Amino acid sequence: MNKPKIVRPEASQPAHAVWFDRKKYVTINFMVQRPKDVQVDIQPDKMILCCKNETHDVFYNELHFYEKVQINDSRERVYDRTINVLLRKVKPDYAWPRLQKDSAKPSWLSVDFDNWRDWEHEDSEGKEEYDRYMDMIQEMAAGNKGETPDMGDLSDSD
């Protein structure tokens, strides 16, 4: 399936975008009011977005990814105010310190702190909590239980 090559329009500007990282995916949300004529080309090492908004301003973004993505399991979805792109990482469980290969951050790109999570340490923190809980249960089971209670008053005889 050959997609037509997206050529950068002469009179274009980049769309503002926010991104966040998860274990298996990276999500990018491009902020465009009522996007039209949306073209998205996701490649293993980069993506290109070109579209127009309701006032016919032309937007063009080209991103070279920090790491490779799986193009067959990456998607985009167009909404009234955003274009959401979900990119599946080739290397899951690896945190991207930045979205782009280049360490210089473009002015139109920022981190989505509302959706950001430090997921790298989630499993180990959960395991530590579980281990503490199991230790507590075993201490209670092995600890001084006291004498067996007298249950003579529970008999059915009157």
Side-chain angles (χ1 to χ4, degrees):
M1 158 174 122
N2 284 342
K3 289 185 177 181
K5 183 172 170 35
I6 300 173
V7 179
R8 181 183 192 130
E10 280 189 36
S12 66
Q13 61 187 354
H16 179 70
V18 294
W19 77 285
F20 61 95
D21 183 35
R22 288 290 199 265
K23 285 184 175 209
K24 295 180 181 177
Y25 292 94
V26 170
T27 302
I28 311 168
N29 298 324
F30 293 92
M31 310 304 173
V32 179
Q33 290 290 327
R34 295 199 176 96
K36 295 186 276 189
D37 304 329
V38 177
Q39 296 176 290
V40 178
D41 181 14
I42 300 172
Q43 299 171 21
D45 59 343
K46 74 175 188 176
M47 75 162 283
I48 299 171
L49 169 103
C50 188
C51 67
K52 294 178 184 175
N53 67 1
E54 62 187 344
T55 58
H56 302 288
D57 297 322
V58 179
F59 294 94
Y60 178 90
N61 293 71
E62 186 168 341
L63 290 160
H64 292 267
F65 302 132
Y66 181 77
E67 288 285 335
K68 292 201 179 295
V69 299
Q70 296 179 11
I71 58 172
N72 296 327
D73 202 13
S74 297
R75 303 278 180 266
E76 75 276 348
R77 178 168 274 168
V78 179
Y79 294 99
D80 280 346
R81 296 182 180 169
T82 60
I83 301 163
N84 297 356
V85 180
L86 186 67
L87 304 166
R88 182 160 186 136
K89 298 176 181 179
V90 169
K91 292 188 217 172
D93 300 328
Y94 174 70
W96 288 15
R98 58 184 181 271
L99 180 60
Q100 296 197 100
K101 189 172 277 308
D102 185 8
S103 60
K105 186 179 104 38
S107 61
W108 52 266
L109 181 64
S110 55
V111 174
D112 186 353
F113 288 107
D114 291 338
N115 288 306
W116 191 271
R117 277 199 342 240
D118 186 15
W119 55 263
E120 283 184 288
H121 306 293
E122 281 181 354
D123 290 342
S124 61
E125 287 173 8
K127 180 156 178 24
E128 288 173 25
E129 188 176 337
Y130 172 78
D131 289 342
R132 281 196 307 272
Y133 174 74
M134 290 309 293
D135 290 344
M136 181 183 74
I137 295 294
Q138 288 189 349
E139 282 176 24
M140 290 171 60
N144 185 4
K145 297 179 188 174
E147 295 180 24
T148 307
D150 179 21
M151 299 183 139
D153 60 338
L154 295 177
S155 65
D156 288 342
S157 60
D158 282 315

